[in-house]
Amino acid sequence: MPLPNSDKRGQTGDVHPLVDAPALDRLLRGEPTPVLLDVRWHLAGPPGIDSYRRGHLPGAVFVDLDRDVAGPPGPAGRHPLPDAAAFEAAMRRAGVSGDRPVVVYDDADSTAAARLWWTLRYFGHERVRVLDGGYHGWVDAGRPVTAEEPQVGPGDFTARPGRLPVLDAAGAAALAKGGMLLDARAPERFRGENEPVDPVAGHIPGAVNAPTLGNVGVDGRFLPADLLRERFAQLGATDAVDVGAYCGSGVTAAHEILALSVAGIPAALYVGSWSNWVADPTNPVATGED
């Protein structure tokens, strides 16, 4: 369930969740240098590891979203929370330690990077940022890339779950009635006109559509905080109400949580999202705009 309003302080974190290419370049020249995690992932198309092997930020380690950042698909959803021990082991293999900052990135729009950012934060890492604009933003800024895979020593990250608020199906239904539940999917999926992945089309009754594409510009970078606050306020999502987000499987909804964090609005993630909701045939389904 989302945290009560009185307990929401600090949920957006003390470290700004975004870093741009010039700022990251400066961080990489200082101490301690951040751990770089490449989490490029494509719902359709070639695996992210192929993109990584063609070129990545120097020193970056590839993290597989399906294998490392989510548990096995099933009734809990297509991308449920990973087991704490499994996530801890994956992050240690990537060189993540609790006292060293982490910067994560994907191709451009931060959809996959946001899920890794959120998962690290959920399991207790306090110093995680997303490279705004991703790999393409880094290249466009004239920064170097390499195909050489680094030799990485093991990290000492300890996964402590529960550091960010989450929703289950019952919590999402309650929030849709008594708070603000944002559906991060494309409008046609929200309305039930098209459902390319899950077996049932539609949305959770009472949810409000807020497609993640509206959080970024054409370059894949997040809108400024004031514009994001304005966007969410128009939808009814402010820091004065309990806010949550869901999508198809809990990936793009993490992008919504990141955008809300940039806007200064704490929010809970329904990790199982629509893929978990429709696994229970007794859960109601709405279609159309409402």
Side-chain angles (χ1 to χ4, degrees):
M1 289 292 293
L3 299 180
N5 288 336
S6 59
D7 295 331
K8 282 184 175 179
R9 289 179 298 174
Q11 284 303 302
T12 53
D14 297 323
V15 175
H16 194 280
L18 301 179
V19 62
D20 62 14
L24 177 57
D25 192 39
R26 291 192 295 271
L27 290 174
L28 292 171
R29 299 174 190 273
E31 289 291 341
T33 57
V35 175
L36 295 178
L37 301 180
D38 182 316
V39 67
R40 280 180 280 181
W41 172 81
H42 312 106
L43 183 60
I49 186 64
D50 292 350
S51 298
Y52 173 81
R53 287 170 176 159
R54 286 194 296 269
H56 51 265
L57 274 63
V61 177
F62 181 73
V63 172
D64 188 287
L65 186 143
D66 293 313
R67 181 192 64 214
D68 300 327
V69 194
R78 284 186 280 110
H79 290 103
L81 270 171
D83 174 77
F87 183 71
E88 177 179 292
M91 293 301 100
R92 288 188 175 192
R93 288 194 301 271
V96 175
S97 294
D99 61 352
R100 189 175 171 193
V102 177
V103 174
V104 303
Y105 70 90
D106 56 28
D107 278 320
D109 67 3
S110 301
T111 297
R115 173 59 188 256
L116 179 53
W117 165 84
W118 184 91
T119 308
L120 277 163
R121 291 289 317 282
Y122 173 83
F123 281 109
H125 203 298
E126 298 290 342
R127 303 168 67 192
V128 188
R129 291 182 174 182
V130 171
L131 175 58
D132 197 14
Y135 178 81
H136 293 310
W138 178 264
V139 172
D140 291 344
R143 266 56 186 187
V145 297
T146 181
E148 181 178 352
E149 298 189 23
Q151 297 295 317
V152 179
D156 63 9
F157 174 68
T158 299
R160 300 181 178 91
R163 303 307 175 94
L164 290 180
V166 296
L167 296 166
D168 58 13
L175 194 60
K177 293 179 180 179
M180 177 56 58
L181 182 64
L182 300 177
D183 184 316
R185 297 173 301 163
E188 60 272 16
R189 291 184 71 188
F190 176 82
R191 293 191 298 263
E193 297 166 358
N194 178 37
E195 180 46 65
V197 185
D198 293 304
V200 179
H203 61 267
I204 297 174
V208 174
N209 194 209
T212 52
L213 283 177
N215 297 328
V216 298
V218 294
D219 58 357
R221 295 188 61 178
F222 280 88
L223 300 178
D226 57 342
L227 293 183
L228 287 171
R229 280 193 295 271
E230 180 180 348
R231 179 193 188 217
F232 289 123
Q234 290 174 349
L235 294 168
T238 71
D239 60 2
V241 299
D242 285 329
V243 179
Y246 78 98
C247 58
S249 69
V251 176
T252 53
H255 187 280
E256 197 93 292
I257 300 293
L258 177 53
L260 287 158
S261 181
V262 172
I265 304 170
L269 176 64
Y270 179 14
V271 184
S273 283
W274 187 246
S275 57
N276 169 247
W277 183 267
V278 298
D280 182 349
T282 66
N283 282 332
V285 171
T287 55
E289 293 293 345
D290 186 5

